[in-house]
Amino acid sequence: MGLRTWTLCALLSVFLVILLPSQTESVAVMSVDMGSEWMKIAIVKPGVPMEIVLNKESRRKTPCAVALKDNERLFGDNAVGMAAKNPKVTMRYFQDLLGKRAENPQVENFSNRFPEYNVVKDEERGTVRFKLSEELTYTPEELLAMMLNYSRILAEEFAEQPIKDVVITVPAFFNQAERRSVLQAAKLAGLKVLQLMNDNTAVALNYGVFRRKDINSTAQNIMFYDMGSRSTTCTIVTYQTTKTKESGIQPQLQIRGVGFDRSLGGLEIDLRLRDHLAKLFNEQKKSKKDVRENPRSMAKLLKEANRVKTILSANNDHMAQIEGLMDDIDFKSKITRQELEELCGDLFERVSSPVQKALTSAEMKMDEIDQVIIVGGSTRIPKVQELLLKAVGKEELGKNINADEAAAMGAVYQAAALSKAFKVKPFVVRDAAVFPIQVEFTREVEEENVKSLKHNKRILFQRLAPYPQRKVITFNRYSDDFEFNINYGDLSFLDAEDLKIFGSLNLTTVKLRGVGESFQKNVDYESKGIKAHFNMDESGILSLDRVEAVFETVVEEKPEQESTLTKLGNTISSLFGGGSSTSESKENATDSVQEEEEVPTEATKEDDQESKTPDSEQANSDTKAEDTKTEENKEGEKVENKDSKEKEETAKEEESTKSPEEEPKKPPPPKKQKLVDEIGAEQTVNDIRDLAEEEVKSSVKKLQELTERDLAKQEREKAANSLEAFIFETQDKLEQDEFRKVSTKDQRGEISSKLSQASTWLEDEGYTATTKELKDKLSELKKVCKSLFFKVEERRKWPEKLSALDSLLNHSSIFLKSARMIPDDDPIFTEIELNTLEKLINDTWVWKNETLAEQAKLPATEKPILLSKDIDQKLAALDREIQYLLNKAKFSKPKPKPKPKSNTTKSENGEKNTTESAEKKKEGTEAEPPSEPEPAKEPPTEEKVLELEGSEAGNPGHAEEF
């Protein structure tokens, strides 16, 4: 190794520079399982796949409650704690009122169960509001928006980054109005909803994702029985692999059947037990007052009923007790599990009903179900499990899924799949619409010269139809403006109570404008009907995309006017198998196949009589859906009818085997031109009107003011806590040795006096002080203590700073010594650069020694001369100079050495030998000139130079690389 190379390696080894990779900004997504009683939140972010969010109390689920009292707004556990003190301002179970009119039976039931709430009618929309005062009212959507915004705050604190994209779970039995209400609440909260996902589907997805290896081509039917706080849902899911266009064979879940009971849940059991405890208290106490007329006492009883119910799930009896329930009278009574089961006997009889409804809707028998899995908190009740096991006829119930968190975890997986920031393993989800939807319209018919109006119904989405999906319905008998209605279909599978709660059966009235004008404008074209395009999106919400008037005409072809270029193109195309003009026309004909599935007009029995007339037969034949009609699934694929596809392929093969002589010569089909006119559609919502733009702005402003008020309150509390903490911490520091060492008794007395005055002020006036006053008081105290804290802080920094300076000075000295060892014939640094570094090192040593000596002479109570910022300046100056020299050494290249001169002679054999001129030089002799001239050789490369140096060092043929 050469001296220069060794020195360069030594220089670079003195200082090491570590470059850390920059952190890339990531985007997280979240899911919210908004139950009636509890809210569960999950997130996905880079490095944290599918994690449940912990709230401020480090719990994995948060009570779904919000308290609104004066200038105070509380959420979660704090709001539940407020319910016992002031139940009128603590809003719970308000999801029952989403998408409900004021006259809905569920609104009346809600008011009867919770008389402490003042529920009034919203005159503009016909819905309800919570009235807290004459000026202050809140809609259920606004309350839900508050909870969604709070869930985002928790998720952002947990993820340590902003979050906007969310998947929200909703009950499978939510209708169109209820789903739109949830979307409006999310809009008020400023969240971007990727999807509203049915909670039973989210549970099924969570189950399938962790068992995807067990899913194969053999169908597995799993029943999920979910009993929560407010409702019960039974779902039959089929797991099976399927072939997708994008990802090949992937697992799939398909919702086959759904049964539900809206009012069967843990809350109803709590209410029964609450009323029983109230009755026991009325019998025990001596007062004539009825505890049921005291909202605060009833709120305490409801909380105790929930606790007792939970304990009775694992014990046969338990003691219910509340101190000072009413009029300072304590309540205490023993409750047995048998008493609870007798109180809720009629509720437990309804446990098996959702199972039977699910089997009926799926057209399956219990023998076809492979496993029954229980979900939801209320399934932990022993009586529920006992009756369910009896209803399904299985040996045991599956408990291999998290009953509380399954929906949130499944929804967050879907959120990651829908987000562009993550890539997850595909899992095909085919959800099902619980309620059928149909289109109804009236048109004029003529029978035996008598005109009459005929009411028609066309099924748009059957019960349990998969979605997302697009549909098209064609109206053939209209040539002028008309209207049609979008309504729910046959809901006979609902019982009388559910049908009343369901609300309006009429969804939308659509009035078409411009039909007549379109027909008048296109009189030369043949009408193909008025086509209405519908879409049911991933959230299960139906919308009318567009309405079109479609016309068609035959275009006459003129072969004599065909250009030479076109003829040449057709000839080349036929030679290379491109197909003839006939195949081209067939291809053009298939271009008009729509992605949507067209709804057949022969959908109901009511139209059978009408279809017997020649005109109606023609109308029906124009719009009848064929077996080979394509349907768009969730991934956008076209799933064709398998049998018809095989028949078509067989026919093509048979046709291809025919000889040219056998092929019939058919005339090419006429070329058709299609014309589409956009038709204006005015939609009137008949169930629950969405919030108008002004109403949305007003609600957003109201919620924003509440949020700003909360932030201002938190800022004030933070200022008060900071002031209080500073007072106590500083009083404690005044007694510590390091603070006493750098201060006099008078100085400590002055500071202590200021602290005592501030403490007194905080106790007397701090509760009414503004945030600014609190911050100013803290700044005043910090100013008084600034000198004391500065002296202590400087002394704490000295050891580390001086150690770093000593280390850098020593390394710099070694560097300077190594740099001066570089040979003069191949220098890296100039003499000026080395002298500058030497002077800087010497000056720094002198400054350090002199400053330390002067500091040692000063008393500890005086302001120090040795300052940490001065040490940092010296460190920076020396480091800057060293880094400059290191960079210069890193990029410097050694100069190539000149080629050694050598003379060659020929031996007796005529071969050419080289005279060892180097050895002769060592002996003091001169080499003889060569007998004949030698050709010029290339100068040795740097590697060869290193080899020569290695040979001189006694290590021939070895070169070291650096």
Side-chain angles (χ1 to χ4, degrees):
M1 182 189 298
L3 178 61
R4 180 188 191 278
T5 306
W6 178 89
T7 308
L8 181 60
C9 292
L11 292 174
L12 296 177
S13 65
V14 174
F15 296 92
L16 298 177
V17 179
I18 301 175
L19 299 178
L20 298 176
S22 60
Q23 299 292 333
T24 58
E25 185 178 355
S26 57
V27 179
V29 294
M30 62 181 289
S31 70
V32 180
D33 178 23
M34 189 69 68
S36 295
E37 185 176 3
W38 299 98
M39 174 179 67
K40 280 80 66 177
I41 311 164
I43 65 164
V44 169
K45 74 171 186 176
V48 182
M50 298 176 63
E51 179 64 30
I52 291 292
V53 173
L54 302 181
N55 59 19
K56 296 180 179 179
E57 292 78 22
S58 298
R59 301 179 64 186
R60 298 175 70 87
K61 59 181 182 179
T62 303
C64 190
V66 53
L68 300 159
K69 180 184 178 183
D70 300 330
N71 294 328
E72 190 175 21
R73 186 171 63 161
L74 303 174
F75 294 95
D77 291 299
N78 293 330
V80 173
M82 176 66 70
K85 302 176 182 177
N86 195 345
K88 294 182 179 181
V89 299
T90 304
M91 308 302 170
R92 305 182 68 184
Y93 307 107
F94 48 81
Q95 297 94 324
D96 291 347
L97 305 181
L98 290 171
K100 300 291 188 301
R101 290 187 175 274
E103 58 272 13
N104 193 294
Q106 191 153 337
V107 176
E108 183 180 357
N109 294 338
F110 183 87
S111 299
N112 293 334
R113 287 170 175 160
F114 307 103
E116 61 269 21
Y117 298 141
N118 186 11
V119 180
V120 298
K121 182 177 180 180
D122 186 341
E123 298 297 339
E124 296 182 1
R125 298 180 62 208
T127 54
V128 296
R129 287 176 171 267
F130 288 88
K131 186 176 181 181
L132 299 182
S133 65
E134 292 298 329
E135 300 81 15
L136 195 58
T137 60
Y138 292 100
T139 64
E141 289 86 354
E142 290 173 341
L143 295 176
L144 181 58
M146 295 180 194
M147 289 303 305
L148 290 174
N149 186 57
Y150 181 67
S151 69
R152 176 173 60 180
I153 293 173
L154 294 178
E156 289 178 345
E157 291 179 355
F158 191 81
E160 298 179 344
Q161 58 182 280
I163 300 178
K164 190 174 182 180
D165 297 342
V166 62
V167 170
I168 304 174
T169 66
V170 295
F173 52 78
F174 260 26
N175 57 27
Q176 296 290 308
E178 291 168 314
R179 291 174 186 270
R180 294 201 310 269
S181 295
V182 176
L183 286 182
Q184 290 171 12
K187 182 179 180 180
L188 298 180
L191 288 171
K192 178 184 176 182
V193 179
L194 300 175
Q195 181 181 343
L196 291 183
M197 193 173 192
N198 293 338
D199 49 13
N200 58 342
T201 306
V203 169
L205 178 59
N206 176 249
Y207 179 84
V209 162
F210 291 99
R211 293 164 180 81
R212 60 185 303 131
K213 293 183 180 180
D214 300 332
I215 301 174
N216 49 43
S217 57
T218 304
Q220 304 176 44
N221 299 320
I222 307 295
M223 176 182 286
F224 294 93
Y225 189 89
D226 182 2
M227 180 182 285
S229 172
R230 196 64 192 89
S231 61
T232 299
T233 305
C234 182
T235 309
I236 298 175
V237 183
T238 297
Y239 293 94
Q240 192 175 14
T241 54
T242 184
K243 188 175 182 180
T244 62
K245 185 176 181 180
E246 293 84 2
S247 307
I249 298 178
Q250 297 296 339
Q252 171 187 274
L253 71 86
Q254 182 176 0
I255 305 298
R256 297 286 303 278
V258 178
F260 60 88
D261 190 330
R262 277 180 176 263
S263 58
L264 177 61
L267 175 61
E268 190 65 29
I269 298 175
D270 293 347
L271 293 172
R272 297 279 183 95
L273 186 54
R274 178 199 67 175
D275 294 340
H276 177 67
L277 296 178
K279 181 181 177 181
L280 294 177
F281 179 76
N282 286 335
E283 294 174 354
Q284 293 177 6
K285 70 180 182 66
K286 299 178 181 180
S287 176
K288 295 182 180 180
K289 294 181 181 179
D290 189 351
V291 69
R292 289 172 293 190
E293 296 178 358
N294 190 319
R296 182 180 298 181
S297 300
M298 292 299 287
K300 293 180 180 179
L301 286 172
L302 181 60
K303 183 178 180 180
E304 182 66 10
N306 180 271
R307 187 185 71 86
V308 171
K309 180 197 70 174
T310 303
I311 296 177
L312 288 179
S313 297
N315 299 274
N316 291 325
D317 56 69
H318 186 68
M319 190 67 67
Q321 51 186 356
I322 302 174
E323 294 183 4
L325 177 58
M326 189 177 70
D327 296 336
D328 295 330
I329 301 176
D330 298 337
F331 170 68
K332 188 174 184 180
S333 179
K334 184 178 181 180
I335 304 297
T336 64
R337 182 190 293 179
Q338 183 178 358
E339 286 181 281
L340 179 63
E341 293 175 355
E342 291 176 356
L343 287 171
C344 306
D346 58 326
L347 297 178
F348 292 136
E349 291 176 0
R350 293 156 54 185
V351 167
S352 61
S353 177
V355 175
Q356 299 303 323
K357 292 178 180 178
L359 291 171
T360 302
S361 64
E363 297 180 353
M364 298 175 67
K365 296 182 180 179
M366 199 64 221
D367 297 339
E368 302 176 57
I369 305 300
D370 299 317
Q371 190 179 8
V372 178
I373 298 176
I374 55 175
V375 192
S378 296
T379 55
R380 297 186 178 98
I381 299 175
K383 189 65 175 179
V384 172
Q385 295 185 15
E386 176 188 340
L387 295 173
L388 180 59
L389 197 60
K390 182 179 179 181
V392 300
K394 300 291 183 181
E395 294 182 359
E396 61 179 356
L397 300 173
K399 302 177 183 177
N400 49 352
I401 194 171
N402 192 313
D404 290 327
E405 302 172 0
M409 296 295 280
V412 81
Y413 187 90
Q414 184 73 356
L418 295 174
S419 174
K420 297 179 180 179
F422 302 94
K423 185 177 181 181
V424 300
K425 292 183 178 180
F427 203 109
V428 183
V429 178
R430 292 180 62 82
D431 211 333
V434 176
F435 307 113
I437 296 177
Q438 63 188 12
V439 172
E440 299 183 22
F441 56 96
T442 302
R443 60 184 175 86
E444 189 179 75
V445 296
E446 184 175 352
E447 296 181 1
E448 299 178 359
N449 297 327
V450 178
K451 294 183 178 181
S452 61
L453 295 178
K454 183 66 176 179
H455 188 71
N456 300 275
K457 296 180 181 180
R458 299 292 181 264
I459 299 297
L460 199 59
F461 291 95
Q462 297 280 358
R463 182 187 177 191
L464 295 180
Y467 71 86
Q469 190 178 171
R470 296 177 181 272
K471 290 290 186 71
V472 179
I473 188 169
T474 305
F475 303 94
N476 291 290
R477 290 298 191 86
Y478 293 95
S479 59
D480 205 348
D481 296 349
F482 66 99
E483 68 178 42
F484 60 88
N485 296 310
I486 306 171
N487 301 326
Y488 290 105
D490 182 17
L491 299 180
S492 58
F493 58 90
L494 297 178
D495 56 32
E497 182 180 355
D498 285 339
L499 200 57
K500 292 178 182 178
I501 295 175
F502 190 84
S504 174
L505 301 182
N506 303 321
L507 288 171
T508 310
T509 298
V510 181
K511 295 182 180 180
L512 302 184
R513 298 286 183 267
V515 177
E517 296 176 4
S518 180
F519 271 81
Q520 293 175 6
K521 185 172 59 176
N522 301 288
V523 291
D524 297 334
Y525 287 76
E526 178 187 358
S527 173
K528 290 298 179 181
I530 309 298
K531 295 184 180 293
H533 297 255
F534 297 89
N535 175 37
M536 183 173 285
D537 62 15
E538 292 84 356
S539 299
I541 296 178
L542 179 68
S543 62
L544 175 63
D545 283 349
R546 65 190 185 279
V547 181
E548 300 170 337
V550 182
F551 300 91
E552 195 173 74
T553 186
V554 177
V555 179
E556 295 182 1
E557 297 183 358
K558 298 180 180 180
E560 65 277 2
Q561 296 182 359
E562 188 176 21
S563 65
T564 305
L565 184 60
T566 304
K567 291 179 180 179
L568 180 60
N570 292 337
T571 303
I572 295 175
S573 177
S574 61
L575 288 174
F576 288 93
S580 62
S581 60
T582 304
S583 63
E584 183 180 356
S585 63
K586 288 182 180 179
E587 184 179 356
N588 292 337
T590 60
D591 289 342
S592 61
V593 176
Q594 302 168 352
E595 294 181 355
E596 299 93 343
E597 180 181 358
E598 190 159 352
V599 178
T601 55
E602 296 179 346
T604 59
K605 296 180 180 179
E606 297 178 7
D607 299 325
D608 291 345
Q609 185 67 26
E610 181 186 354
S611 62
K612 294 180 181 179
T613 62
D615 294 339
S616 60
E617 286 180 1
Q618 181 181 359
N620 288 335
S621 63
D622 290 339
T623 58
K624 185 176 181 180
E626 300 175 354
D627 292 337
T628 58
K629 188 66 65 177
T630 60
E631 173 182 325
E632 184 182 16
N633 66 359
K634 185 172 183 179
E635 285 76 17
E637 303 168 354
K638 293 180 179 179
V639 184
E640 298 184 0
N641 185 283
K642 186 176 181 181
D643 296 337
S644 62
K645 187 177 180 181
E646 292 177 353
K647 291 179 181 179
E648 184 180 351
E649 292 177 353
T650 305
K652 288 182 179 179
E653 291 177 359
E654 293 176 355
E655 185 178 354
S656 63
T657 57
K658 292 181 180 180
S659 61
E661 294 78 5
E662 294 178 353
E663 293 181 359
K665 295 183 178 180
K666 297 181 180 179
K671 189 175 181 181
K672 296 183 179 181
Q673 182 180 0
K674 186 178 179 181
L675 181 65
V676 177
D677 269 358
E678 192 78 18
I679 302 297
E682 178 185 345
Q683 302 185 49
T684 303
V685 178
N686 296 325
D687 50 1
I688 300 295
R689 179 178 64 82
D690 292 342
L691 292 172
E693 192 64 29
E694 292 299 324
E695 293 174 323
V696 171
K697 291 180 180 179
S698 176
S699 295
V700 169
K701 182 180 179 181
K702 180 166 46 172
L703 297 179
Q704 185 64 30
E705 289 175 353
L706 288 174
T707 302
E708 292 175 357
R709 190 185 69 185
D710 292 344
L711 293 175
K713 179 187 174 184
Q714 293 174 7
E715 187 69 17
R716 186 196 173 281
E717 291 177 351
K718 182 179 179 181
N721 293 335
S722 299
L723 176 59
E724 185 176 10
F726 183 84
I727 293 173
F728 285 109
E729 289 175 3
T730 307
Q731 287 175 340
D732 180 66
K733 288 177 181 178
L734 292 178
E735 302 299 326
Q736 297 177 8
D737 292 339
E738 61 177 343
F739 286 88
R740 296 176 66 88
K741 182 179 180 181
V742 297
S743 61
T744 63
K745 184 177 180 180
D746 293 339
Q747 291 173 343
R748 293 194 300 272
E750 179 184 358
I751 295 175
S752 179
S753 175
K754 293 286 185 181
L755 293 174
S756 298
Q757 294 175 9
S759 178
T760 303
W761 175 85
L762 185 61
E763 292 177 359
D764 297 340
E765 305 177 18
Y767 295 102
T768 58
T770 62
T771 305
K772 185 178 183 304
E773 291 175 341
L774 292 169
K775 289 183 176 181
D776 291 344
K777 182 66 68 173
L778 179 60
S779 299
E780 181 183 345
L781 292 180
K782 286 183 176 181
K783 187 175 181 181
V784 174
C785 303
K786 181 179 180 180
S787 176
L788 175 62
F789 289 166
F790 176 76
K791 289 183 285 187
V792 173
E793 189 67 23
E794 285 296 312
R795 292 179 176 273
R796 288 177 178 175
K797 292 179 180 179
W798 284 350
E800 182 181 357
K801 299 285 185 182
L802 291 173
S803 176
L805 183 60
D806 288 341
S807 176
L808 186 58
L809 285 170
N810 291 331
H811 282 81
S812 300
S813 300
I814 297 173
F815 178 87
L816 179 62
K817 184 178 180 181
S818 301
R820 292 195 181 278
M821 294 175 61
I822 299 176
D824 295 338
D825 58 345
D826 189 14
I828 299 177
F829 312 114
T830 65
E831 190 66 24
I832 296 177
E833 292 172 339
L834 297 179
N835 292 337
T836 301
L837 176 61
E838 183 177 11
K839 183 177 183 304
L840 183 60
I841 293 173
N842 293 334
D843 291 347
T844 305
W845 277 113
V846 171
W847 174 86
K848 177 198 167 191
N849 294 332
E850 290 180 353
T851 307
L852 286 175
E854 293 180 8
Q855 179 63 45
K857 298 177 183 178
L858 288 177
T861 56
E862 295 293 332
K863 182 179 179 180
I865 298 177
L866 180 62
L867 303 178
S868 59
K869 66 176 184 178
D870 294 339
I871 302 176
D872 289 336
Q873 291 177 358
K874 298 296 181 182
L875 282 168
L878 191 56
D879 181 70
R880 186 166 52 251
E881 188 67 24
I882 291 294
Q883 290 296 332
Y884 166 74
L885 298 178
L886 278 175
N887 290 331
K888 185 176 182 181
K890 195 182 301 182
F891 294 104
S892 67
K893 294 183 179 180
K895 296 179 181 179
K897 290 189 177 182
K899 171 186 172 184
K901 296 181 179 180
S902 61
N903 295 326
T904 57
T905 58
K906 286 189 176 180
S907 64
E908 295 179 357
N909 298 332
E911 296 179 354
K912 185 166 55 178
N913 294 331
T914 302
T915 58
E916 297 177 329
S917 58
E919 294 180 359
K920 290 182 179 181
K921 286 181 179 180
K922 292 180 181 180
E923 297 173 358
T925 60
E926 294 182 0
E928 295 181 359
S931 58
E932 57 182 294
E934 290 288 327
K937 294 184 179 180
E938 295 180 357
T941 62
E942 182 180 354
E943 183 179 358
K944 292 179 181 179
V945 173
L946 291 176
E947 289 178 359
L948 292 173
E949 292 177 353
S951 299
E952 292 176 358
N955 188 12
H958 177 71
E960 294 185 32
E961 297 180 358
F962 298 93

